Amino acid sequence: MVAQHRSFTRAAGALFITPSGLSLLIKELENQLSVRLFERTTRQVTLTRSGTELLVAVQRNLDELDNSLAHVARTKDALGPSLSVGAPPFWAAGGVAQAIKAFRPRRPELRLQVFDGDSATTLQKVESGELDMGLGFFFKHVPGIRRTPLFRFSLVAIRANSERDSSPRNVTWASLKGEKFVAMQPSLPLQQFVDRHLAKAGIGYRPRLVLNYLHTQIAMVEAGQGIAIVPSYTLPECRNRGLMINPLLKPTVHLDFYQIRNGGRRLSPVAEEFTEFLKNYIVTWAGKSGLLSKR
């Protein structure tokens, strides 16, 4: 750029850096090569013989790189549209898998990548561009990340069912005092969210079990190890295991389920199409599942 513009100021403007910063970069390059690349005067900047020789090689390699990048892009397009999605393991195995199954006939040529992991890692992958979008409960706004609410779930208490159990269908947070809890790792944002509401209800507890995954938490409740507080989207799994489900009142605590994406990047047409499909799909799925609270 300096050779093309014959000016550090104009080249720096084209590169969106300061002239002094660009001058320092050129000086470091000259020090590494132990040659001068430019002759500098108060009126102009010109290439030295060594600079001219290097410019030819640099230009040839940049042209080759541009051609290779263009070829890679054309090859990717020829393979068909792609979509990469991150979601918590429980939701990836249930909601996302079924949504993809329903969406696939629209885009049979779609190349799909699914990351089933924790929300923090999903967020990092969305930030870096490794994933087109993430799905889950993202409690805090992160600069540069756009959150789109897809559905509103709630928190419910689940417990092993028993013919002798006379617990009411609806329970309050305060009434959970003295219960034995099966909890998730305290480092997980969802568990931290639950713990804050237990604390507001004046409930301090030491969990009987601390687990990593919702599937395991629900299974341990079925095994009679205690009660758990879980998002209402787990209700189909809880019903399949014959668990008693108690909606929590005073207060009713809502959980917004989000799609996140990098705010500095535009979603591809297929990603936009899948997002719109997913909004409608979740509402339909939730209605069939008998969930308690919709957006």
Side-chain angles (χ1 to χ4, degrees):
M1 294 300 290
V2 175
Q4 176 184 329
H5 289 281
R6 296 182 180 275
S7 162
F8 278 87
T9 300
R10 290 194 294 273
L15 294 168
F16 300 101
I17 61 176
T18 63
S20 59
L22 178 57
S23 180
L24 180 61
L25 290 173
I26 293 294
K27 188 161 186 62
E28 288 180 353
L29 179 58
E30 289 177 328
N31 289 338
Q32 290 176 22
L33 299 174
S34 299
V35 296
R36 288 181 66 82
L37 299 175
F38 293 96
E39 296 292 351
R40 303 162 175 82
T41 69
T42 55
R43 293 188 174 183
Q44 64 178 355
V45 177
T46 58
L47 284 164
T48 63
R49 183 174 178 179
S50 296
T52 300
E53 181 182 350
L54 180 60
L55 179 62
V56 172
V58 167
Q59 192 63 60
R60 183 171 61 248
N61 280 276
L62 285 176
D63 290 343
E64 184 178 347
L65 177 61
D66 287 342
N67 290 334
S68 296
L69 291 173
H71 175 72
V72 168
R74 288 194 298 271
T75 301
K76 181 181 178 183
D77 290 340
L79 292 172
S82 64
L83 176 65
S84 53
V85 182
F90 191 100
W91 183 257
V96 173
Q98 293 304 311
I100 288 169
K101 180 180 179 181
F103 182 73
R104 177 65 77 179
R106 299 186 178 198
R107 291 280 193 161
E109 78 285 11
L110 180 65
R111 293 179 294 118
L112 185 69
Q113 175 191 347
V114 176
F115 170 74
D116 54 340
D118 62 273
S119 296
T121 306
T122 295
L123 175 61
Q124 293 171 4
K125 289 180 179 290
V126 170
E127 284 181 306
S128 69
E130 189 175 341
L131 290 175
D132 296 320
M133 67 178 73
L135 303 171
F137 302 114
F138 299 93
F139 295 97
K140 295 180 180 179
H141 171 70
V142 177
I145 293 295
R146 183 174 297 179
R147 295 187 301 175
T148 301
L150 299 180
F151 199 83
R152 173 164 283 181
F153 295 99
S154 60
L155 289 178
V156 299
I158 58 173
R159 66 184 71 229
N161 209 342
S162 169
E163 293 182 359
R164 297 185 303 275
D165 196 332
S166 58
S167 300
R169 178 169 173 75
N170 295 324
V171 300
T172 66
W173 285 83
S175 69
L176 299 179
K177 201 165 195 175
E179 293 279 6
K180 296 179 174 63
F181 286 90
V182 177
M184 303 281 279
Q185 291 290 344
S187 60
L188 296 175
L190 178 57
Q191 187 60 51
Q192 293 171 2
F193 184 72
V194 169
D195 288 345
R196 283 197 297 272
H197 284 281
L198 285 171
K200 287 180 181 178
I203 299 174
Y205 73 101
R206 179 174 294 178
R208 174 177 279 189
L209 285 174
V210 178
L211 304 164
N212 292 305
Y213 299 105
L214 271 172
H215 275 111
T216 316
Q217 186 182 28
I218 293 169
M220 289 300 171
V221 171
E222 182 187 13
Q225 297 306 299
I227 74 165
I229 298 173
V230 297
S232 58
Y233 71 74
T234 64
L235 295 194
E237 173 73 9
C238 294
R239 292 194 187 103
N240 287 340
R241 292 180 176 273
L243 299 180
M244 178 170 286
I245 300 160
N246 300 124
L248 286 167
L249 304 178
K250 298 183 180 180
T252 298
V253 178
H254 295 296
L255 280 168
D256 284 330
F257 189 77
Y258 290 100
Q259 178 232 60
I260 61 166
R261 64 185 181 91
N262 191 316
R265 299 177 60 198
R266 294 186 63 180
L267 285 177
S268 66
V270 71
E272 292 279 13
E273 183 182 348
F274 181 72
T275 299
E276 289 305 311
F277 173 84
L278 192 60
K279 288 179 182 178
N280 295 323
Y281 178 85
I282 292 178
V283 172
T284 302
W285 173 83
K288 290 178 180 178
S289 300
L291 300 190
L292 304 172
S293 178
K294 289 196 278 189
R295 175 172 283 282

